[in-house]
Amino acid sequence: EIKADMISAIVAAIALPIAIAGYLDTRHSQQMEHRAYVAIQTHEPQLIIGKKPRFKFSFVNSGRTPAYNTALSVGIVVEAVPTMDKPSKAQADTPLQKGICLHTGVSESVSFNADFAPSQKMLDDIFNEIVTITIVVRLEYEDSFGNPHITQEVYCVPSDWAILKDMSHASFGSIAT
């Protein structure tokens, strides 16, 4: 009798953690399957000499539940082209928007003006890969389970965008706004 009770206790001691682990794994899988997944898309800005460029970002929730308590931050830096030895200094440290609930399948767009106006020299330096405009976009949000998530993207104004050097402005891209 004592042997049978001891064997039952050992089996229970082994089975209980396995059952708990299975429950937690199933719960985690369900949360991952039913959470919000938000992607960021940036629209290429039009750079005009002497005018502050307008940057536009779109956010799409492709998950199965809304993204709650969103907080959007952005950082834009005009800097020397980053290298392995000298990485970008751009950080998403300027808050833009807070508190939006982004529903499933819904796209939200945000635009803002940069605090600089490009000069002809800046456009030439971008074209010649001396400087770049680095843009960091960070979206923090909670899923329907209250779990925090962060989507962050880093973009650089590439030199192969269509720069019209012989005109008084440069047009980077043709995305409709």
Side-chain angles (χ1 to χ4, degrees):
E1 262 181 58
I2 294 177
K3 261 189 172 183
D5 289 341
M6 192 126 156
I7 292 173
S8 295
I10 291 171
V11 168
I14 292 171
L16 182 61
I18 292 172
I20 290 172
Y23 167 77
L24 293 175
D25 186 52
T26 300
R27 184 169 178 240
H28 177 72
S29 295
Q30 287 175 339
Q31 285 184 357
M32 293 302 288
E33 183 178 337
H34 294 285
R35 63 163 269 208
Y37 287 94
V38 181
I40 300 171
Q41 177 185 14
T42 188
H43 301 270
E44 297 171 351
Q46 185 178 39
L47 297 179
I48 299 172
I49 294 171
K51 292 192 177 192
K52 294 181 178 182
R54 186 159 190 81
F55 291 89
K56 181 178 177 185
F57 308 99
S58 298
F59 308 92
V60 179
N61 180 2
S62 62
R64 293 187 177 187
T65 58
Y68 297 101
N69 300 320
T70 61
L72 172 65
S73 300
V74 68
I76 297 180
V77 176
V78 178
E79 61 186 353
V81 175
T83 64
M84 293 297 285
D85 296 332
K86 293 183 180 178
S88 174
K89 295 177 184 170
Q91 295 182 29
D93 53 6
T94 304
L96 286 183
Q97 193 174 49
K98 215 170 188 171
I100 289 179
C101 175
L102 191 58
H103 291 281
T104 302
V106 172
S107 175
E108 177 81 23
S109 293
V110 175
S111 319
F112 73 99
N113 289 328
D115 61 358
F116 66 89
S119 64
Q120 183 64 53
K121 180 177 179 348
M122 179 189 288
L123 295 180
D124 290 342
D125 287 348
I126 290 171
F127 183 78
N128 293 316
E129 298 182 4
I130 296 168
V131 300
T132 185
I133 300 173
T134 305
I135 307 157
V136 180
V137 184
R138 179 182 175 103
L139 182 70
E140 298 178 42
Y141 61 96
E142 293 177 0
D143 62 23
S144 59
F145 303 99
N147 299 320
H149 300 280
I150 296 172
T151 300
Q152 181 167 297
E153 297 289 336
V154 178
Y155 304 95
C156 290
V157 172
S159 65
D160 60 348
W161 285 358
I163 296 179
L164 306 175
K165 292 183 71 162
D166 57 318
M167 299 181 74
S168 64
H169 70 279
S171 175
F172 286 9
S174 59
I175 294 177
T177 55

